[in-house]
């Protein structure tokens, strides 16, 4: 459920009409609903009742500091994958003691920043990373609290670009090597083992892969404890899918029940890293129709947003529902059209042709379910500067990131001496 609904014939975000925001700040823009973010966090957290659970929002899904702060106020921790994301989480008010640091390519400098900040846990993804972390921790005179992220070699049955739990994926320590890496961790200075971490992919629509992966982790915890390691934390990752079209993902309650069943007896504190589930349906991309072009084989609705603003359709063939901001009157004729951006690539499309009510230049469209992996994956391709983000709460809205201008972009570039006019 989200808070983008039609009211008196036009779409509102909570109680704010999107036309008002568009008139005030121009298009395109991302619009997020605070109530939806809060609701999703609450539903997920409630579903974990009975577990000693900590929900660490995966900041990568939507890292605007206002979004993180909205969740931090409810007690959310953060899962971060770069020093930059860690800075955002800290600035947004997440205490370092609630921050998990994941990622396959953390640099020594990032590890040092995480240690100095005093993060809750560093999820180490390889034997060489462990050696680097030990060296960094020793040189700083600090102790790193560490979980090894394990690769359970389980197929998450999701898009190949976002599956992370198979042995051919770059993530985590290969299953067969895990006991050896724990043994090494126990010997290394500056390292304190706190737990085990696993994350098998994103937009997962079936509980079975989770059940398999978590089942393997439970066996592993038994073995590691028998070998003398103190495993107190279980980080079960994120990845629970959401409906973009017709998908029927498991509910957080069903997921929670499965987790209780599989890991409930382990006597561990359990961490979750949901991103998409919290932010996905809490955001839309609002765009204006630049012109309608009747091609010989199809009609194109050319809008002012493009693949640089929302790359998911281009990158993953992802489906995002597209609806008019002004509700089409009952019985109005619909026709097939492809909604495309102005960028000079055929891949700059918001998906296959759709049935849309008759659309004209100047109309506003909302591209739904764009709150996760939308703004964060944007680029400035074609010198199209990053677009603003807006957060709505009830009858209020605030611009939480300004529109970048072409001047801003150009101000960071310069001519080398040999090209300057002599
Ligand atoms: N934890 C780790 C270690 C992750 O790598 C990810 C996502 C998450 C948690 C959060 O997963 P979520 O709950 O959001 O599924 N750009 C892609 C998704 C990439 C996901 C990367 N890792 C997309 O637009 O579909």
């Amino acid at each position: 459920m989200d808070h983008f609904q039609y009211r008196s014939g036009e779409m509102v975000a909570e109680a704010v009409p999107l036309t008002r925001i568009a008139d005030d700040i121009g298009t395109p823009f991302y619009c997020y609903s605070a109530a939806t973010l809060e609701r999703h966090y609450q539903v997920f957290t409630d579903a974990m009742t009975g577990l000693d659970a900590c929900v660490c929002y995966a900041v990568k899904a939507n890292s605007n500091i206002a979004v993180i702060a909205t969740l931090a106020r409810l007690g959310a921790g953060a899962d971060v994958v770069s020093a930059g994301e860690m800075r955002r989480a800290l600035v947004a008010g997440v205490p370092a003691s609630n921050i998990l640091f994941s990622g396959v390519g953390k640099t020594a400098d990032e590890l040092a920043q995480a240690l100095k900040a005093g993060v809750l846990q560093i999820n180490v993804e390889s034997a060489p990373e462990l050696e680097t972390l030990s060296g960094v921790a020793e040189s700083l005179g600090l102790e790193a609290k560490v979980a090894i992220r394990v690769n359970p070699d389980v197929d998450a049955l999701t898009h190949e670009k976002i599956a992370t739990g198979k042995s051919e994926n770059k993530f985590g320590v290969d299953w067969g090597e895990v006991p050896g890496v724990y043994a090494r961790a126990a010997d290394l200075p500056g390292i304190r083992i706190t737990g085990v971490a696993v994350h098998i992919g994103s937009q997962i629509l079936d509980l079975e892969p989770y059940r398999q992966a978590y089942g393997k982790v439970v066996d592993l915890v038994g073995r590691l404890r028998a070998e003398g390691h103190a495993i107190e934390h279980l980080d079960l990752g994120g990845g629970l899918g959401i409906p973009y079209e017709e998908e029927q993902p498991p509910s957080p309650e069903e997921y929670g029940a499965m987790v209780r069943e599989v890991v409930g007896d382990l006597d561990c504190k359990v961490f979750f890293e949901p991103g998409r589930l919290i932010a996905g349906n809490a955001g839309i991309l609002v765009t204006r129709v630049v012109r309608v072009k009747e091609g010989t084989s199809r009609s194109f609705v050319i809008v002012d947003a493009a693949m640089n603003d929302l790359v998911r359709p281009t990158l993953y063939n992802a489906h995002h529902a597209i609806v008019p901001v002004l509700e089409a009157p009952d019985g109005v004729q619909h026709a097939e059209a492809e909604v495309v951006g102005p960028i000079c690539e055929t891949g700059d499309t918001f998906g296959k042709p759709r049935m849309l009510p008759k659309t004209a230049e100047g109309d506003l469209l909302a591209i739904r379910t764009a709150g996760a992996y939308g703004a964060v994956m944007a680029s400035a391709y074609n010198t199209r500067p990053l677009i603003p983000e807006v957060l709505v709460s009830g009858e209020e809205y605030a611009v939480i990131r300004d529109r970048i201008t072409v001047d801003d972009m150009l101000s960071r570039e310069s001519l080398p001496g040999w090209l300057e006019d002599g």
Side-chain angles (χ1 to χ4, degrees), residues 61-139:
N62 184 322
S63 58
N64 189 292
I65 57 173
V67 168
I68 305 173
T70 301
L71 298 165
R73 292 243 176 128
L74 302 179
D79 164 53
V80 303
V81 292
S82 67
E85 283 191 355
M86 182 181 74
R87 279 267 305 278
R88 288 178 174 278
L90 291 169
V91 166
V94 181
S97 56
N98 276 350
I99 297 180
L100 298 166
F101 199 148
S102 310
V104 73
K106 304 173 207 84
T107 63
D109 180 54
E110 288 182 308
L111 292 169
Q113 289 188 49
L115 287 174
K116 285 188 205 151
V119 298
L120 161 70
Q121 179 172 285
I122 297 178
N123 293 344
V124 168
E125 301 223 14
S126 63
E129 181 188 342
L130 187 65
E131 303 289 333
T132 302
L133 178 59
S134 167
V136 172
E138 251 209 315
S139 70

Side-chain angles (χ1 to χ4, degrees), residues 58 60 79 149 162 199 202 239 273 275-276 312 316 373 377:
K60 64 171 76 67
D79 164 53
R149 175 170 172 185
I162 54 176
H199 170 80
S202 192
E273 304 171 348
R276 187 190 313 265
R312 300 194 69 258
Y316 315 113
Y373 307 112
M377 293 180 76

Side-chain angles (χ1 to χ4, degrees), residues 190-367:
I191 300 288
R192 175 153 75 87
I193 296 167
T194 48
V196 178
V198 66
H199 170 80
I200 58 171
S202 192
Q203 185 58 3
I204 298 173
L205 297 169
D206 188 335
L207 286 184
E208 231 16 69
Y210 277 125
R211 191 184 287 280
Q212 269 181 42
Y214 296 171
K216 289 182 85 166
V217 167
V218 169
D219 294 344
L220 176 69
V221 170
R223 172 169 178 184
L224 293 173
R225 282 178 170 165
E227 287 167 4
H229 304 294
I231 306 296
E232 299 153 18
H233 295 168
L234 217 51
D235 178 347
L236 298 181
L240 197 56
I242 61 171
Y244 285 88
E245 195 175 6
E246 307 279 278
E247 304 93 329
Q248 292 191 322
S251 66
E253 292 75 17
E254 289 166 323
Y255 173 77
M258 178 274 297
V259 171
R260 268 191 297 276
E261 190 190 314
V262 179
V263 314
D265 292 336
L266 266 193
D267 193 24
C268 276
K269 180 157 184 166
V270 187
F271 294 84
F272 298 94
E273 304 171 348
R276 187 190 313 265
L277 179 105
I278 290 182
N281 275 313
I284 59 173
L285 171 58
V286 178
T287 182
R288 202 179 279 285
V289 176
V290 176
R291 81 180 45 88
V292 176
K293 178 176 170 186
E294 298 299 341
T296 45
S297 67
R298 63 179 58 167
S299 344
F300 296 100
V301 173
I302 305 169
V303 295
D304 63 1
M307 64 185 270
N308 70 300
D309 303 306
L310 177 66
V311 76
R312 300 194 69 258
T314 307
L315 197 55
Y316 315 113
N317 290 323
H319 178 93
H320 287 261
I322 304 176
V323 293
V325 166
L326 295 184
E327 194 173 16
D330 277 349
V332 83
Q333 223 190 333
H334 283 57
E336 204 174 64
E338 183 176 343
V339 179
V340 297
I343 284 183
C344 304
E345 294 201 24
T346 300
D348 181 25
T349 172
F350 289 106
K352 297 195 188 85
R354 313 278 170 91
M355 293 306 284
L356 286 174
K358 199 163 170 39
T359 305
E361 186 175 324
D363 288 355
L364 289 174
L365 297 176
I367 304 179

